[in-house]
Amino acid sequence: MKIFPPRVLDALARFNATHPWDHNAHYHAWLLRQLPRRFGRALDVGCGTGDLARLLARRAAEVHGIDSDPEIVARARELSDSGDAVTFTVADASDGIPPGPYDVITCVAVLHHLPLAETLTRFRRHLAPGGTLVVIGLAREEALVDHLLGLVSVPLNLLVGWVKNGGRPAPRPASMTAITRPAAVTYTEIAREAGRILPGVRLRRRLFWRYSLLWCG
């Protein structure tokens, strides 16, 4: 984004604040297509307000959502029906994952907050044989392709925000209230570590400053 002068960056920020939309939720439909129609236990790491965990509960016998932020976990519980097969726990993915194994593990926009190699190893250990791990993550832009995808994403981001909000100002979705920070690890570094820890893993750069990681245990 350094290619844009400060005045343009300010204008983009104002527009996006007026017409916000959740980049992570945008990939929920794709994520669900990678999973079986029915499965047993699922774990959503960094569950936030629980949107994805509730979608997983439509297919799973049992879903555990964990997040290190007590306030956002409380919000996830408020937004969930008592009949949902999902529980939310305040826990850190570094040492607080409820005992597995899990048939499905999902992690959306959280991995860059955690130690990469240790976390992927932990996911592998908690995944049941034949289970599926799906990550939607953020990486630090480094290669030319990263910057090109970022540039393409800028006008698309404006268009999607305008369309999703019907051209009207809108409040930020509850799912966008979690604390965030920029990614420090590059896509190349992520691919190298993931390939070492998760043989056969599939990674892909995506629009809207995201990448996907898919691995079947």
Side-chain angles (χ1 to χ4, degrees):
M1 297 297 292
K2 293 181 179 179
I3 191 171
F4 296 110
R7 183 178 301 177
V8 174
L9 291 175
D10 290 342
L12 291 171
R14 288 195 301 271
F15 184 94
N16 292 331
T18 304
H19 308 282
W21 64 282
D22 190 337
H23 297 145
N24 300 321
H26 173 76
Y27 286 105
H28 286 176
W30 174 87
L31 187 155
L32 291 170
R33 289 196 296 271
Q34 314 312 308
L35 305 178
R37 293 184 64 85
R38 299 296 301 174
F39 45 87
R41 304 182 73 213
L43 173 71
D44 184 30
V45 177
C47 62
T49 53
D51 293 352
L52 178 57
R54 286 185 290 273
L55 291 174
L56 294 172
R58 298 177 184 177
R59 302 188 185 185
E62 178 184 340
V63 179
H64 291 278
I66 65 170
D67 201 291
S68 60
D69 184 340
E71 292 185 7
I72 209 161
V73 169
R75 183 62 174 149
R77 291 169 178 160
E78 290 174 1
L79 293 171
S80 302
D81 295 328
S82 58
D84 290 340
V86 57
T87 59
F88 296 102
T89 304
V90 179
D92 193 301
S94 297
D95 54 16
I97 293 179
Y102 294 97
D103 302 294
V104 167
I105 297 177
T106 57
C107 181
V108 177
V110 176
L111 189 56
H112 66 289
H113 291 275
L114 302 167
L116 178 61
E118 293 89 334
T119 303
L120 292 178
T121 301
R122 192 171 293 111
F123 288 168
R124 184 187 64 189
R125 186 168 63 246
H126 282 278
L127 194 66
T132 305
L133 167 66
V134 190
V135 174
I136 298 294
L138 286 74
R140 178 169 60 85
E141 292 184 349
E142 178 190 45
L144 176 61
V145 65
D146 299 325
H147 295 291
L148 290 176
L149 281 172
L151 285 174
V152 172
S153 294
V154 171
L156 290 177
N157 186 62
L158 301 177
L159 177 61
V160 173
W162 177 266
V163 172
K164 282 184 176 289
N165 292 294
R168 295 183 294 272
R172 294 179 71 198
S175 57
M176 293 178 64
T177 59
I179 297 173
T180 62
R181 73 180 184 205
V185 181
T186 68
Y187 179 87
T188 301
E189 293 168 328
I190 294 166
R192 182 174 60 246
E193 284 297 279
R196 180 178 64 85
I197 297 167
L198 308 171
V201 67
R202 287 181 283 168
L203 288 98
R204 178 182 171 185
R205 290 179 172 93
R206 295 190 175 270
L207 291 170
F208 307 122
W209 306 280
R210 299 294 185 270
Y211 70 87
S212 62
L213 179 156
L214 177 65
W215 185 67
C216 296

